[in-house]
mmCIF file of all heavy atoms in Angstrom:
data_model
loop_
_atom_site.group_PDB
_atom_site.id
_atom_site.type_symbol
_atom_site.label_atom_id
_atom_site.label_comp_id
_atom_site.label_asym_id
_atom_site.label_seq_id
_atom_site.Cartn_x
_atom_site.Cartn_y
_atom_site.Cartn_z
ATOM 1 N N ASN R 61 36.951 66.684 -87.847
ATOM 2 C CA ASN R 61 36.532 66.042 -86.602
ATOM 3 C C ASN R 61 37.659 65.266 -85.945
ATOM 4 O O ASN R 61 38.514 64.697 -86.626
ATOM 5 C CB ASN R 61 35.403 65.043 -86.886
ATOM 6 C CG ASN R 61 34.151 65.722 -87.380
ATOM 7 O OD1 ASN R 61 33.772 66.759 -86.846
ATOM 8 N ND2 ASN R 61 33.537 65.158 -88.392
ATOM 9 N N GLY R 62 37.605 65.211 -84.584
ATOM 10 C CA GLY R 62 38.569 64.416 -83.842
ATOM 11 C C GLY R 62 37.907 63.693 -82.687
ATOM 12 O O GLY R 62 36.861 64.114 -82.177
ATOM 13 N N ILE R 63 38.518 62.595 -82.284
ATOM 14 C CA ILE R 63 38.023 61.787 -81.162
ATOM 15 C C ILE R 63 39.167 61.614 -80.175
ATOM 16 O O ILE R 63 40.281 61.240 -80.572
ATOM 17 C CB ILE R 63 37.545 60.404 -81.664
ATOM 18 C CG1 ILE R 63 36.413 60.577 -82.680
ATOM 19 C CG2 ILE R 63 37.090 59.533 -80.494
ATOM 20 C CD1 ILE R 63 36.435 59.552 -83.773
ATOM 21 N N LEU R 64 38.893 61.892 -78.910
ATOM 22 C CA LEU R 64 39.906 61.769 -77.860
ATOM 23 C C LEU R 64 39.383 60.825 -76.779
ATOM 24 O O LEU R 64 38.250 60.981 -76.304
ATOM 25 C CB LEU R 64 40.201 63.139 -77.239
ATOM 26 C CG LEU R 64 41.002 64.120 -78.098
ATOM 27 C CD1 LEU R 64 40.963 65.521 -77.490
ATOM 28 C CD2 LEU R 64 42.450 63.652 -78.259
ATOM 29 N N VAL R 65 40.215 59.879 -76.375
ATOM 30 C CA VAL R 65 39.806 58.903 -75.362
ATOM 31 C C VAL R 65 40.799 58.923 -74.205
ATOM 32 O O VAL R 65 42.013 58.828 -74.414
ATOM 33 C CB VAL R 65 39.760 57.467 -75.949
ATOM 34 C CG1 VAL R 65 39.100 56.519 -74.961
ATOM 35 C CG2 VAL R 65 39.061 57.431 -77.298
ATOM 36 N N CYS R 66 40.277 59.064 -72.987
ATOM 37 C CA CYS R 66 41.098 58.837 -71.794
ATOM 38 C C CYS R 66 40.236 58.030 -70.822
ATOM 39 O O CYS R 66 39.181 57.524 -71.202
ATOM 40 C CB CYS R 66 41.629 60.141 -71.194
ATOM 41 S SG CYS R 66 40.398 61.261 -70.519
ATOM 42 N N GLY R 67 40.664 57.891 -69.587
ATOM 43 C CA GLY R 67 39.924 57.046 -68.663
ATOM 44 C C GLY R 67 38.505 57.523 -68.438
ATOM 45 O O GLY R 67 37.551 56.747 -68.548
ATOM 46 N N THR R 68 38.371 58.799 -68.125
ATOM 47 C CA THR R 68 37.045 59.368 -67.892
ATOM 48 C C THR R 68 36.538 60.212 -69.057
ATOM 49 O O THR R 68 35.340 60.522 -69.113
ATOM 50 C CB THR R 68 37.078 60.305 -66.668
ATOM 51 O OG1 THR R 68 38.045 61.333 -66.935
ATOM 52 C CG2 THR R 68 37.459 59.555 -65.401
ATOM 53 N N GLY R 69 37.426 60.640 -69.911
ATOM 54 C CA GLY R 69 37.090 61.606 -70.967
ATOM 55 C C GLY R 69 37.162 63.040 -70.468
ATOM 56 O O GLY R 69 37.119 63.989 -71.260
ATOM 57 N N ILE R 70 37.266 63.206 -69.158
ATOM 58 C CA ILE R 70 37.200 64.557 -68.575
ATOM 59 C C ILE R 70 38.470 65.354 -68.855
ATOM 60 O O ILE R 70 38.418 66.512 -69.295
ATOM 61 C CB ILE R 70 36.925 64.467 -67.059
ATOM 62 C CG1 ILE R 70 35.532 63.893 -66.802
ATOM 63 C CG2 ILE R 70 37.044 65.856 -66.421
ATOM 64 C CD1 ILE R 70 35.243 63.590 -65.332
ATOM 65 N N GLY R 71 39.611 64.740 -68.572
ATOM 66 C CA GLY R 71 40.869 65.468 -68.785
ATOM 67 C C GLY R 71 41.041 65.870 -70.239
ATOM 68 O O GLY R 71 41.455 67.008 -70.541
ATOM 69 N N MET R 72 40.713 64.972 -71.140
ATOM 70 C CA MET R 72 40.821 65.276 -72.569
ATOM 71 C C MET R 72 39.912 66.456 -72.931
ATOM 72 O O MET R 72 40.313 67.355 -73.679
ATOM 73 C CB MET R 72 40.442 64.050 -73.405
ATOM 74 C CG MET R 72 41.495 62.971 -73.457
ATOM 75 S SD MET R 72 43.010 63.521 -74.285
ATOM 76 C CE MET R 72 43.773 61.935 -74.667
ATOM 77 N N SER R 73 38.691 66.438 -72.403
ATOM 78 C CA SER R 73 37.764 67.517 -72.774
ATOM 79 C C SER R 73 38.205 68.848 -72.172
ATOM 80 O O SER R 73 38.099 69.895 -72.824
ATOM 81 C CB SER R 73 36.325 67.180 -72.381
ATOM 82 O OG SER R 73 36.191 67.052 -70.998
ATOM 83 N N MET R 74 38.746 68.802 -70.950
ATOM 84 C CA MET R 74 39.250 70.050 -70.346
ATOM 85 C C MET R 74 40.370 70.645 -71.187
ATOM 86 O O MET R 74 40.389 71.851 -71.463
ATOM 87 C CB MET R 74 39.779 69.778 -68.939
ATOM 88 C CG MET R 74 38.714 69.547 -67.918
ATOM 89 S SD MET R 74 39.512 69.232 -66.325
ATOM 90 C CE MET R 74 38.100 69.328 -65.246
ATOM 91 N N ALA R 75 41.304 69.789 -71.575
ATOM 92 C CA ALA R 75 42.453 70.274 -72.359
ATOM 93 C C ALA R 75 41.998 70.767 -73.729
ATOM 94 O O ALA R 75 42.384 71.865 -74.170
ATOM 95 C CB ALA R 75 43.483 69.153 -72.508
ATOM 96 N N ALA R 76 41.172 69.984 -74.402
ATOM 97 C CA ALA R 76 40.753 70.338 -75.761
ATOM 98 C C ALA R 76 39.982 71.651 -75.781
ATOM 99 O O ALA R 76 40.142 72.470 -76.696
ATOM 100 C CB ALA R 76 39.911 69.202 -76.353
ATOM 101 N N ASN R 77 39.162 71.884 -74.765
ATOM 102 C CA ASN R 77 38.333 73.095 -74.765
ATOM 103 C C ASN R 77 39.114 74.369 -74.451
ATOM 104 O O ASN R 77 38.546 75.458 -74.527
ATOM 105 C CB ASN R 77 37.144 72.917 -73.820
ATOM 106 C CG ASN R 77 36.010 72.161 -74.505
ATOM 107 O OD1 ASN R 77 35.678 72.433 -75.652
ATOM 108 N ND2 ASN R 77 35.426 71.196 -73.821
ATOM 109 N N ARG R 78 40.390 74.239 -74.127
ATOM 110 C CA ARG R 78 41.247 75.428 -74.004
ATOM 111 C C ARG R 78 41.734 75.929 -75.360
ATOM 112 O O ARG R 78 42.299 77.014 -75.462
ATOM 113 C CB ARG R 78 42.482 75.105 -73.158
ATOM 114 C CG ARG R 78 42.203 74.832 -71.695
ATOM 115 C CD ARG R 78 41.930 76.147 -70.991
ATOM 116 N NE ARG R 78 41.689 75.911 -69.576
ATOM 117 C CZ ARG R 78 42.601 76.118 -68.620
ATOM 118 N NH1 ARG R 78 43.803 76.548 -68.936
ATOM 119 N NH2 ARG R 78 42.298 75.907 -67.363
ATOM 120 N N MET R 79 41.542 75.104 -76.383
ATOM 121 C CA MET R 79 42.127 75.411 -77.689
ATOM 122 C C MET R 79 41.118 76.192 -78.543
ATOM 123 O O MET R 79 39.944 75.796 -78.648
ATOM 124 C CB MET R 79 42.516 74.112 -78.406
ATOM 125 C CG MET R 79 43.379 73.162 -77.584
ATOM 126 S SD MET R 79 45.102 73.633 -77.474
ATOM 127 C CE MET R 79 45.657 73.326 -79.147
ATOM 128 N N LYS R 80 41.590 77.258 -79.160
ATOM 129 C CA LYS R 80 40.717 78.122 -79.968
ATOM 130 C C LYS R 80 40.029 77.322 -81.082
ATOM 131 O O LYS R 80 40.682 76.556 -81.798
ATOM 132 C CB LYS R 80 41.581 79.233 -80.576
ATOM 133 C CG LYS R 80 40.815 80.270 -81.349
ATOM 134 C CD LYS R 80 40.538 81.499 -80.501
ATOM 135 C CE LYS R 80 39.546 82.414 -81.216
ATOM 136 N NZ LYS R 80 38.548 82.978 -80.325
ATOM 137 N N GLY R 81 38.744 77.510 -81.192
ATOM 138 C CA GLY R 81 38.007 76.869 -82.282
ATOM 139 C C GLY R 81 37.622 75.428 -82.015
ATOM 140 O O GLY R 81 36.966 74.798 -82.850
ATOM 141 N N ILE R 82 38.023 74.935 -80.857
ATOM 142 C CA ILE R 82 37.680 73.549 -80.521
ATOM 143 C C ILE R 82 36.459 73.541 -79.617
ATOM 144 O O ILE R 82 36.396 74.259 -78.617
ATOM 145 C CB ILE R 82 38.868 72.837 -79.832
ATOM 146 C CG1 ILE R 82 40.099 72.822 -80.736
ATOM 147 C CG2 ILE R 82 38.461 71.421 -79.403
ATOM 148 C CD1 ILE R 82 39.932 72.109 -82.062
ATOM 149 N N ARG R 83 35.496 72.715 -79.994
ATOM 150 C CA ARG R 83 34.311 72.507 -79.163
ATOM 151 C C ARG R 83 34.244 71.016 -78.876
ATOM 152 O O ARG R 83 33.757 70.227 -79.696
ATOM 153 C CB ARG R 83 33.053 73.021 -79.890
ATOM 154 C CG ARG R 83 33.036 74.539 -80.062
ATOM 155 C CD ARG R 83 31.872 75.021 -80.888
ATOM 156 N NE ARG R 83 31.887 74.459 -82.221
ATOM 157 C CZ ARG R 83 32.675 74.869 -83.220
ATOM 158 N NH1 ARG R 83 33.488 75.889 -83.024
ATOM 159 N NH2 ARG R 83 32.640 74.272 -84.400
ATOM 160 N N ALA R 84 34.802 70.665 -77.720
ATOM 161 C CA ALA R 84 34.914 69.251 -77.357
ATOM 162 C C ALA R 84 33.729 68.852 -76.488
ATOM 163 O O ALA R 84 33.386 69.550 -75.529
ATOM 164 C CB ALA R 84 36.225 69.005 -76.618
ATOM 165 N N ALA R 85 33.117 67.733 -76.821
ATOM 166 C CA ALA R 85 31.945 67.244 -76.084
ATOM 167 C C ALA R 85 32.258 65.884 -75.467
ATOM 168 O O ALA R 85 32.594 64.934 -76.176
ATOM 169 C CB ALA R 85 30.749 67.126 -77.025
ATOM 170 N N LEU R 86 32.157 65.831 -74.152
ATOM 171 C CA LEU R 86 32.303 64.561 -73.441
ATOM 172 C C LEU R 86 30.933 63.886 -73.419
ATOM 173 O O LEU R 86 29.989 64.417 -72.817
ATOM 174 C CB LEU R 86 32.799 64.822 -72.015
ATOM 175 C CG LEU R 86 32.797 63.634 -71.051
ATOM 176 C CD1 LEU R 86 33.596 62.468 -71.608
ATOM 177 C CD2 LEU R 86 33.340 64.060 -69.696
ATOM 178 N N CYS R 87 30.817 62.771 -74.087
ATOM 179 C CA CYS R 87 29.508 62.121 -74.233
ATOM 180 C C CYS R 87 29.511 60.724 -73.638
ATOM 181 O O CYS R 87 30.424 59.934 -73.888
ATOM 182 C CB CYS R 87 29.132 62.029 -75.710
ATOM 183 S SG CYS R 87 28.947 63.643 -76.505
ATOM 184 N N ALA R 88 28.455 60.434 -72.877
ATOM 185 C CA ALA R 88 28.301 59.102 -72.294
ATOM 186 C C ALA R 88 27.025 58.439 -72.794
ATOM 187 O O ALA R 88 26.670 57.350 -72.335
ATOM 188 C CB ALA R 88 28.286 59.185 -70.770
ATOM 189 N N ASN R 89 26.325 59.094 -73.713
ATOM 190 C CA ASN R 89 25.144 58.479 -74.319
ATOM 191 C C ASN R 89 24.896 59.089 -75.705
ATOM 192 O O ASN R 89 25.481 60.121 -76.054
ATOM 193 C CB ASN R 89 23.907 58.604 -73.413
ATOM 194 C CG ASN R 89 23.568 60.052 -73.101
ATOM 195 O OD1 ASN R 89 23.379 60.857 -74.010
ATOM 196 N ND2 ASN R 89 23.527 60.403 -71.812
ATOM 197 N N GLU R 90 24.005 58.461 -76.454
ATOM 198 C CA GLU R 90 23.759 58.880 -77.836
ATOM 199 C C GLU R 90 23.075 60.246 -77.886
ATOM 200 O O GLU R 90 23.312 61.023 -78.813
ATOM 201 C CB GLU R 90 22.894 57.851 -78.576
ATOM 202 C CG GLU R 90 23.559 56.515 -78.813
ATOM 203 C CD GLU R 90 23.267 55.509 -77.711
ATOM 204 O OE1 GLU R 90 22.942 55.934 -76.568
ATOM 205 O OE2 GLU R 90 23.355 54.296 -77.988
ATOM 206 N N TYR R 91 22.221 60.529 -76.902
ATOM 207 C CA TYR R 91 21.507 61.815 -76.909
ATOM 208 C C TYR R 91 22.495 62.978 -76.797
ATOM 209 O O TYR R 91 22.401 63.963 -77.530
ATOM 210 C CB TYR R 91 20.488 61.855 -75.757
ATOM 211 C CG TYR R 91 19.708 63.150 -75.714
ATOM 212 C CD1 TYR R 91 18.712 63.412 -76.663
ATOM 213 C CD2 TYR R 91 19.981 64.116 -74.746
ATOM 214 C CE1 TYR R 91 18.015 64.615 -76.635
ATOM 215 C CE2 TYR R 91 19.281 65.309 -74.723
ATOM 216 C CZ TYR R 91 18.294 65.554 -75.665
ATOM 217 O OH TYR R 91 17.613 66.737 -75.648
ATOM 218 N N GLN R 92 23.447 62.855 -75.883
ATOM 219 C CA GLN R 92 24.469 63.907 -75.758
ATOM 220 C C GLN R 92 25.254 64.044 -77.058
ATOM 221 O O GLN R 92 25.581 65.163 -77.479
ATOM 222 C CB GLN R 92 25.428 63.581 -74.608
ATOM 223 C CG GLN R 92 24.800 63.715 -73.238
ATOM 224 C CD GLN R 92 25.757 63.263 -72.142
ATOM 225 O OE1 GLN R 92 26.397 62.216 -72.251
ATOM 226 N NE2 GLN R 92 25.855 64.047 -71.090
ATOM 227 N N ALA R 93 25.569 62.905 -77.668
ATOM 228 C CA ALA R 93 26.334 62.939 -78.921
ATOM 229 C C ALA R 93 25.544 63.678 -80.003
ATOM 230 O O ALA R 93 26.077 64.543 -80.705
ATOM 231 C CB ALA R 93 26.653 61.516 -79.368
ATOM 232 N N ARG R 94 24.261 63.342 -80.138
ATOM 233 C CA ARG R 94 23.423 63.974 -81.163
ATOM 234 C C ARG R 94 23.299 65.472 -80.913
ATOM 235 O O ARG R 94 23.488 66.293 -81.817
ATOM 236 C CB ARG R 94 22.028 63.321 -81.171
ATOM 237 C CG ARG R 94 21.088 63.876 -82.221
ATOM 238 C CD ARG R 94 19.760 63.125 -82.265
ATOM 239 N NE ARG R 94 19.954 61.708 -82.512
ATOM 240 C CZ ARG R 94 19.781 60.744 -81.598
ATOM 241 N NH1 ARG R 94 19.351 61.061 -80.389
ATOM 242 N NH2 ARG R 94 19.996 59.489 -81.892
ATOM 243 N N MET R 95 23.006 65.838 -79.668
ATOM 244 C CA MET R 95 22.785 67.257 -79.366
ATOM 245 C C MET R 95 24.083 68.068 -79.431
ATOM 246 O O MET R 95 24.069 69.251 -79.783
ATOM 247 C CB MET R 95 22.144 67.409 -77.973
ATOM 248 C CG MET R 95 20.787 66.764 -77.869
ATOM 249 S SD MET R 95 19.672 67.199 -79.217
ATOM 250 C CE MET R 95 19.139 68.811 -78.681
ATOM 251 N N SER R 96 25.185 67.433 -79.090
ATOM 252 C CA SER R 96 26.459 68.165 -79.140
ATOM 253 C C SER R 96 26.801 68.560 -80.570
ATOM 254 O O SER R 96 27.519 69.542 -80.793
ATOM 255 C CB SER R 96 27.597 67.331 -78.538
ATOM 256 O OG SER R 96 28.117 66.404 -79.479
ATOM 257 N N ARG R 97 26.280 67.813 -81.525
ATOM 258 C CA ARG R 97 26.472 68.168 -82.940
ATOM 259 C C ARG R 97 25.383 69.131 -83.392
ATOM 260 O O ARG R 97 25.666 70.180 -83.952
ATOM 261 C CB ARG R 97 26.404 66.909 -83.806
ATOM 262 C CG ARG R 97 27.530 66.005 -83.611
ATOM 263 C CD ARG R 97 28.778 66.572 -84.223
ATOM 264 N NE ARG R 97 29.146 65.800 -85.381
ATOM 265 C CZ ARG R 97 30.313 65.906 -85.979
ATOM 266 N NH1 ARG R 97 31.202 66.771 -85.562
ATOM 267 N NH2 ARG R 97 30.594 65.163 -87.008
ATOM 268 N N ALA R 98 24.138 68.743 -83.163
ATOM 269 C CA ALA R 98 23.005 69.506 -83.690
ATOM 270 C C ALA R 98 22.963 70.921 -83.126
ATOM 271 O O ALA R 98 22.684 71.877 -83.850
ATOM 272 C CB ALA R 98 21.703 68.769 -83.381
ATOM 273 N N HIS R 99 23.247 71.074 -81.840
ATOM 274 C CA HIS R 99 23.125 72.392 -81.205
ATOM 275 C C HIS R 99 24.459 73.074 -80.936
ATOM 276 O O HIS R 99 24.526 74.297 -80.919
ATOM 277 C CB HIS R 99 22.361 72.270 -79.882
ATOM 278 C CG HIS R 99 20.890 72.041 -80.068
ATOM 279 N ND1 HIS R 99 19.971 72.148 -79.038
ATOM 280 C CD2 HIS R 99 20.172 71.697 -81.174
ATOM 281 C CE1 HIS R 99 18.757 71.893 -79.502
ATOM 282 N NE2 HIS R 99 18.855 71.605 -80.790
ATOM 283 N N ASN R 100 25.500 72.302 -80.652
ATOM 284 C CA ASN R 100 26.782 72.907 -80.239
ATOM 285 C C ASN R 100 27.869 72.803 -81.302
ATOM 286 O O ASN R 100 28.973 73.318 -81.101
ATOM 287 C CB ASN R 100 27.305 72.254 -78.954
ATOM 288 C CG ASN R 100 26.241 72.111 -77.891
ATOM 289 O OD1 ASN R 100 25.879 71.002 -77.503
ATOM 290 N ND2 ASN R 100 25.706 73.222 -77.425
ATOM 291 N N ASP R 101 27.564 72.147 -82.402
ATOM 292 C CA ASP R 101 28.547 71.992 -83.490
ATOM 293 C C ASP R 101 29.889 71.484 -82.950
ATOM 294 O O ASP R 101 30.955 72.006 -83.308
ATOM 295 C CB ASP R 101 28.730 73.329 -84.222
ATOM 296 C CG ASP R 101 29.376 73.154 -85.595
ATOM 297 O OD1 ASP R 101 29.352 72.025 -86.121
ATOM 298 O OD2 ASP R 101 29.894 74.148 -86.130
ATOM 299 N N SER R 102 29.834 70.461 -82.099
ATOM 300 C CA SER R 102 31.090 69.938 -81.528
ATOM 301 C C SER R 102 31.967 69.386 -82.647
ATOM 302 O O SER R 102 31.472 68.824 -83.625
ATOM 303 C CB SER R 102 30.801 68.841 -80.492
ATOM 304 O OG SER R 102 30.139 67.741 -81.075
ATOM 305 N N ASN R 103 33.262 69.611 -82.496
ATOM 306 C CA ASN R 103 34.194 69.074 -83.502
ATOM 307 C C ASN R 103 35.174 68.069 -82.892
ATOM 308 O O ASN R 103 35.993 67.496 -83.611
ATOM 309 C CB ASN R 103 34.935 70.184 -84.263
ATOM 310 C CG ASN R 103 35.554 71.215 -83.358
ATOM 311 O OD1 ASN R 103 35.632 71.032 -82.146
ATOM 312 N ND2 ASN R 103 36.002 72.318 -83.936
ATOM 313 N N VAL R 104 35.080 67.875 -81.578
ATOM 314 C CA VAL R 104 35.868 66.832 -80.913
ATOM 315 C C VAL R 104 34.933 66.042 -79.995
ATOM 316 O O VAL R 104 34.192 66.628 -79.207
ATOM 317 C CB VAL R 104 37.042 67.429 -80.108
ATOM 318 C CG1 VAL R 104 37.731 66.356 -79.273
ATOM 319 C CG2 VAL R 104 38.059 68.090 -81.043
ATOM 320 N N LEU R 105 34.974 64.727 -80.134
ATOM 321 C CA LEU R 105 34.202 63.841 -79.260
ATOM 322 C C LEU R 105 35.161 63.246 -78.230
ATOM 323 O O LEU R 105 36.201 62.680 -78.603
ATOM 324 C CB LEU R 105 33.575 62.707 -80.088
ATOM 325 C CG LEU R 105 32.908 61.583 -79.296
ATOM 326 C CD1 LEU R 105 31.666 62.096 -78.549
ATOM 327 C CD2 LEU R 105 32.523 60.415 -80.220
ATOM 328 N N CYS R 106 34.824 63.392 -76.951
ATOM 329 C CA CYS R 106 35.640 62.804 -75.885
ATOM 330 C C CYS R 106 34.892 61.626 -75.276
ATOM 331 O O CYS R 106 33.692 61.731 -74.983
ATOM 332 C CB CYS R 106 35.953 63.841 -74.813
ATOM 333 S SG CYS R 106 36.923 65.228 -75.435
ATOM 334 N N LEU R 107 35.613 60.537 -75.085
ATOM 335 C CA LEU R 107 35.014 59.319 -74.527
ATOM 336 C C LEU R 107 35.828 58.853 -73.327
ATOM 337 O O LEU R 107 37.063 58.972 -73.321
ATOM 338 C CB LEU R 107 35.000 58.210 -75.594
ATOM 339 C CG LEU R 107 34.165 58.481 -76.845
ATOM 340 C CD1 LEU R 107 34.419 57.415 -77.904
ATOM 341 C CD2 LEU R 107 32.672 58.544 -76.505
ATOM 342 N N GLY R 108 35.138 58.285 -72.349
ATOM 343 C CA GLY R 108 35.801 57.747 -71.167
ATOM 344 C C GLY R 108 35.816 56.226 -71.233
ATOM 345 O O GLY R 108 34.781 55.582 -71.036
ATOM 346 N N SER R 109 36.984 55.675 -71.456
ATOM 347 C CA SER R 109 37.086 54.215 -71.639
ATOM 348 C C SER R 109 36.789 53.446 -70.361
ATOM 349 O O SER R 109 36.463 52.261 -70.405
ATOM 350 C CB SER R 109 38.487 53.853 -72.120
ATOM 351 O OG SER R 109 39.432 54.222 -71.134
ATOM 352 N N ARG R 110 36.919 54.118 -69.206
ATOM 353 C CA ARG R 110 36.624 53.459 -67.934
ATOM 354 C C ARG R 110 35.186 53.710 -67.488
ATOM 355 O O ARG R 110 34.793 53.281 -66.402
ATOM 356 C CB ARG R 110 37.605 53.951 -66.858
ATOM 357 C CG ARG R 110 39.052 53.545 -67.127
ATOM 358 C CD ARG R 110 40.014 54.185 -66.156
ATOM 359 N NE ARG R 110 41.392 53.746 -66.391
ATOM 360 C CZ ARG R 110 42.474 54.357 -65.914
ATOM 361 N NH1 ARG R 110 42.345 55.439 -65.174
ATOM 362 N NH2 ARG R 110 43.676 53.900 -66.179
#
Side-chain angles (χ1 to χ4, degrees):
N61 295 317
I63 300 145
L64 287 168
V65 190
C66 66
T68 59
I70 294 172
M72 284 295 198
S73 63
M74 286 180 169
N77 277 316
R78 292 284 181 101
M79 308 283 290
K80 185 97 191 139
I82 301 300
R83 293 174 300 282
L86 170 56
C87 297
N89 59 56
E90 293 93 336
Y91 181 73
Q92 289 175 314
R94 181 175 303 108
M95 298 311 281
S96 82
R97 291 288 250 193
H99 286 192
N100 314 116
D101 198 19
S102 62
N103 50 11
V104 172
L105 171 66
C106 298
L107 297 171
S109 62
R110 294 173 178 164

